[in-house]
Amino acid sequence: MAQKIAILSVYDKTGLLDLAKGLVKQNVRLLASGGTAKLIREAGFPVDSSRFFYKSPRLAALLSKWFPGLTQYTNRDVSAITKAPEMLAGRVKTLHPAVHAGILARDLASDEKDLAEQNINKVDYVICNLYPFKDTVAKVNVTIPEAVEEIDIGGVTLIRAAAKNHTRVTILSDPEDYHDFLTELEKGEVPEKSRQQYALKAFTHTADYDAAISDFFRKKYAGDGVQQLSLRYGANPHQKPAAAYTTDCNLPFKVLSGSPGYINLLDALNAWPLVKELSEALNYPAAASFKHVSPAGAAIGVPLSDVEKKVYMVEDIEGLETSGLAQAYARARGADRMSSFGDVIALSHEVDLPTAKIISKEVSDGVVAPGYQPEALELLRKKKGGKYLVLQMDKTFNPPATETRTVYGVNLTQHRNDAQISPASTFNSIIVPKESAPLPEPALRDLTVATIALKFTQSNSVCYALNGQVIGLGAGQQSRIHCTRLAGDKADNWWMRFHPRATSLAWKKGSKRADKSNAIDLLCSGIVPASGSEREAWAANFEEGKAPEPFTAQERHDWLAKMDQVAVSSDAFFPFTDNVFRVARSGVKYIAAPTGSQNDQACFGVAEELGITYVEQHVRLFHH
């Protein structure tokens, strides 16, 4: 049986001598290169001074002392089989057919013939790890030439070749594996399962190495904003540095104004697909107001009534009647003005001047859209002293099917949520009433708005919709009923804002939009302080002596009873009937939710009892 051969070429020499000792014990012929060979010689493995190979007359005596019965051992440099010296300051050592044919040869007659004709022996074990590129580029002010010197060529090729042929060759790229490898070798042979695991680790090693190199050169050469974009900071100011980048294409957006932060982009890149899908599903312009990676509001451009214009504070916007996009954003922002404060806006169509005028009046951090009319862009660029974030999205961009994220050092991957939500195909499975007619168009529209909004809302989530817009959304709650209550309370607050008392407030001259929103929220939520400085501060928003009377419990009950035809969607099943009872109190007549709860039948029964149409939505829509 031919003597086994191992090639050793390592930067990290941890455990190298113990490994060499173990290989020698198993009568494995060692071929080493560069500093690896040097370390072995200096440790008592003398090497002949010949350019092409070295032998150790003293080694036999040393090894026979260590391993009785071992009479002869030859330790040679890689150049002994390449018949070429290391050159170019060591940059070329192992790149040679004599090395790689020996590694890549399979147990095939044709391969055996080729090897015999070229007098090349098979290589059985490759021990190799790479230059510390990551450590080098982590240094302050590292130069490109310094980084380039740490780009391993021969080592990567050795590892990749051995890992490719792992059905026959064992590749060790991690010194932590030396002990187990030698234990297996002592038992006779390295098992197939181990060779597979070593190969996986080797491929991961080279992939991580290449990723570090591409990351370094992307930062140097790609140009900020092309494939890589430096961010102000991460989720918090102390989390620096931060960046956004792509690996297989250019960034799908351009920064036209301002400087994005990490959370800005999380909001923008969740909000954009929401409005894109919503617009495509319903054939209307769509808008979303995003905060902390969930929509505060989302809507399509259904025409606004005069009272809606007043409630949403857009009655003075010139050109509003002719801009579906402006009407969509007025609805999205107006759904929950408190949550929308400081939002990131997503718009499905080119931004026109009426839409920009609304944005210019609101406290907002940024906007993403596929384009901007020149006068609209000029207006937006003036916002926040020129620091307002304006992103232009490539509307033709389609993200890869696979998503990957890293959490606490662990990579998680999944197929992107590409579930299609449409009024024509998603809401056809009516459970109760059993003899129900097909859903009316407004119900289909509003269920579509609510369900697509949930697809991009942090779970658990429940969404109420009416008139083509979100009117209440509960996001990120651990309990489904708390989602339902939170969203329902927001829907109630939204409806109370249409009460004549709330639409005829006598504001003090100079009152700011944010102060008005806060004052209305206290009034419509039923939490106006009874007395004290907080009550005085609230009353100070209005003309002297004209602060409105808080709503009584009966007044709230009577007005909320008028809310009707509301649609609600849930990102997963309703586990208990309390959810159905709660939505009914906010005028809900249509529910869409996945099924699968043990209490499904009870929920269906309560819905039928309360006059609610319950539709099975077949796709769970968790989003994290």
Side-chain angles (χ1 to χ4, degrees):
M1 182 176 178
Q3 185 182 24
K4 298 285 188 179
I5 296 176
I7 289 181
L8 299 90
S9 180
V10 296
Y11 180 87
D12 181 356
K13 296 176 176 58
T14 303
L16 175 63
L17 296 180
D18 287 335
L19 175 66
K21 178 179 175 181
L23 289 169
V24 168
K25 182 179 179 181
Q26 297 302 318
N27 194 33
V28 175
R29 177 186 176 194
L30 304 187
L31 298 172
S33 68
T36 305
K38 182 173 182 291
L39 180 64
I40 293 174
R41 289 196 299 269
E42 290 176 349
F45 293 78
V47 180
D48 190 275
S49 59
S50 167
R51 165 181 284 187
F52 299 119
F53 65 93
Y54 56 86
K55 295 183 178 180
S56 174
R58 292 166 48 196
L59 182 58
L62 182 60
L63 292 179
S64 62
K65 179 179 179 182
W66 284 357
F67 312 114
L70 182 64
T71 58
Q72 186 176 8
Y73 177 74
T74 303
N75 182 14
R76 311 179 83 183
D77 191 274
V78 168
S79 60
I81 62 169
T82 64
K83 300 298 186 287
E86 295 181 8
M87 64 183 69
L88 303 181
R91 294 195 298 279
V92 176
K93 298 187 286 284
T94 60
L95 296 170
H96 196 280
V99 172
H100 289 285
I103 295 173
L104 289 166
R106 295 168 180 163
D107 292 326
L108 302 173
S110 57
D111 285 8
E112 298 285 0
K113 179 175 179 293
D114 287 344
L115 294 181
E117 289 177 353
Q118 300 300 322
N119 195 28
I120 295 173
N121 293 319
K122 287 181 180 177
V123 173
D124 303 278
Y125 313 109
V126 173
I127 297 87
C128 184
N129 54 62
L130 306 173
Y131 299 163
F133 186 85
K134 279 186 176 180
D135 294 344
T136 297
V137 298
K139 297 174 183 177
V140 177
N141 297 325
V142 65
T143 65
I144 290 177
E146 288 172 334
V148 165
E149 284 305 308
E150 298 303 327
I151 297 177
D152 201 318
I153 304 300
V156 172
T157 309
L158 283 175
I159 292 173
R160 194 177 297 277
K164 175 176 179 175
N165 202 25
H166 66 270
T167 55
R168 184 185 65 78
V169 178
T170 300
I171 170 63
L172 298 178
S173 59
D174 184 354
E176 292 291 329
D177 294 327
Y178 294 171
H179 177 270
D180 290 346
F181 163 73
L182 289 175
T183 300
E184 292 167 338
L185 207 57
E186 288 173 0
K187 294 178 180 178
E189 189 51 88
V190 180
E192 179 183 16
K193 181 66 175 177
S194 295
R195 292 198 306 276
Q196 293 170 350
Q197 293 302 309
Y198 296 147
L200 171 60
K201 184 174 285 191
F203 283 129
T204 303
H205 184 42
T206 57
D208 182 63
Y209 193 74
D210 286 340
I213 295 171
S214 63
D215 180 65
F216 175 79
F217 284 102
R218 183 171 53 250
K219 293 173 181 175
K220 296 292 185 182
Y221 295 155
D224 202 33
V226 180
Q227 274 189 281
Q228 165 125 352
L229 180 65
S230 298
L231 306 179
R232 297 195 308 273
Y233 47 77
N236 298 288
H238 66 276
Q239 292 177 261
K240 298 178 181 179
Y245 68 91
T246 55
T247 57
D248 56 359
C249 63
N250 291 337
L251 290 169
F253 59 85
K254 297 178 181 178
V255 180
L256 304 183
S257 179
S259 177
Y262 184 89
I263 294 177
N264 293 151
L265 287 185
L266 285 178
D267 283 338
L269 296 175
N270 275 276
W272 165 252
L274 190 163
V275 299
K276 182 175 184 289
E277 292 187 25
L278 194 54
S279 179
E280 291 173 351
L282 295 173
N283 199 28
Y284 274 86
S289 171
F290 249 69
K291 281 288 295 294
H292 295 292
V293 205
S294 283
I300 56 173
V302 176
L304 294 164
S305 67
D306 288 341
V307 68
E308 286 174 322
K309 294 175 187 176
K310 191 167 187 178
V311 169
Y312 300 151
M313 300 184 183
V314 294
E315 67 270 33
D316 60 338
I317 299 298
E318 184 179 353
L320 181 65
E321 294 80 4
T322 60
S323 172
L325 190 66
Q327 294 179 61
Y329 180 59
R331 289 185 178 280
R333 176 77 183 206
D336 183 355
R337 291 190 59 81
M338 297 294 287
S339 296
S340 289
F341 185 86
D343 61 354
V344 166
I345 302 159
L347 301 164
S348 64
H349 287 56
E350 181 183 63
V351 179
D352 53 22
L353 189 57
T355 307
K357 285 180 178 178
I358 299 175
I359 297 172
S360 70
K361 291 176 177 291
E362 304 289 6
V363 176
S364 172
D365 282 351
V367 59
V368 57
Y372 301 84
Q373 293 180 359
E375 60 271 28
L377 181 58
E378 182 182 0
L379 182 60
L380 294 173
R381 278 177 165 165
K382 294 176 181 178
K383 190 172 173 65
K384 297 178 70 171
K387 295 181 180 179
Y388 188 66
L389 178 62
V390 180
L391 301 177
Q392 182 174 355
M393 192 73 190
D394 178 2
K395 62 182 179 181
T396 67
F397 173 73
N398 287 311
T402 300
E403 296 178 328
T404 303
R405 66 190 296 186
T406 302
V407 179
Y408 204 62
V410 176
N411 293 320
L412 304 176
T413 184
Q414 66 173 355
H415 185 84
R416 184 171 56 86
N417 185 357
D418 55 7
Q420 297 294 308
I421 310 299
S422 75
S425 60
T426 306
F427 309 106
N428 295 326
S429 299
I430 299 175
I431 300 172
V432 294
K434 293 182 174 60
E435 304 302 324
S436 177
L439 297 181
E441 187 279 331
L444 288 170
R445 174 198 64 196
D446 294 340
L447 286 174
T448 301
V449 169
T451 305
I452 290 179
L454 290 178
K455 185 179 174 184
F456 300 96
T457 300
Q458 299 300 297
S459 298
N460 288 325
S461 57
V462 172
C463 184
Y464 295 60
L466 185 65
N467 296 337
Q469 70 177 85
V470 169
I471 62 170
L473 194 148
Q477 303 301 303
Q478 290 74 24
S479 166
R480 179 75 41 190
I481 185 58
H482 289 130
C483 296
T484 306
R485 291 171 182 165
L486 175 59
D489 291 348
K490 289 184 175 185
D492 293 349
N493 181 292
W494 170 83
W495 179 240
M496 289 301 301
R497 286 158 53 200
F498 288 83
H499 191 285
R501 188 179 307 167
T503 59
S504 57
L505 298 171
W507 298 108
K508 183 176 66 177
K509 187 176 181 180
S511 295
K512 296 180 180 179
R513 293 169 76 87
D515 293 334
K516 291 179 180 180
S517 297
N518 292 338
I520 293 172
D521 184 69
L522 290 177
L523 175 66
C524 293
S525 297
I527 54 174
V528 174
S531 61
S533 60
E534 189 177 2
R535 173 63 178 254
E536 293 172 1
W538 175 77
N541 291 290
F542 308 98
E543 292 181 6
E544 185 69 29
K546 293 187 177 181
E549 285 296 319
F551 294 110
T552 65
Q554 188 62 47
E555 286 174 328
R556 288 181 58 82
H557 176 272
D558 292 346
W559 184 255
L560 290 173
K562 298 179 181 181
M563 185 159 57
D564 193 22
Q565 299 303 308
V566 176
V568 71
S569 188
S570 174
D571 66 357
F573 59 68
F574 280 153
F576 298 104
T577 59
D578 51 4
N579 293 278
V580 183
F581 283 119
R582 175 61 189 89
V583 301
R585 293 202 298 272
S586 294
V588 168
K589 288 294 182 285
Y590 306 96
I591 293 174
T595 59
S597 168
Q598 293 180 349
N599 288 325
D600 274 350
Q601 293 304 319
C603 290
F604 303 156
V606 170
E608 189 164 23
E609 174 189 332
L610 296 175
I612 296 174
T613 300
Y614 204 116
V615 181
E616 181 178 12
Q617 200 283 95
H618 295 279
V619 182
R620 194 181 77 175
L621 292 171
F622 282 171
H623 181 67
H624 292 277

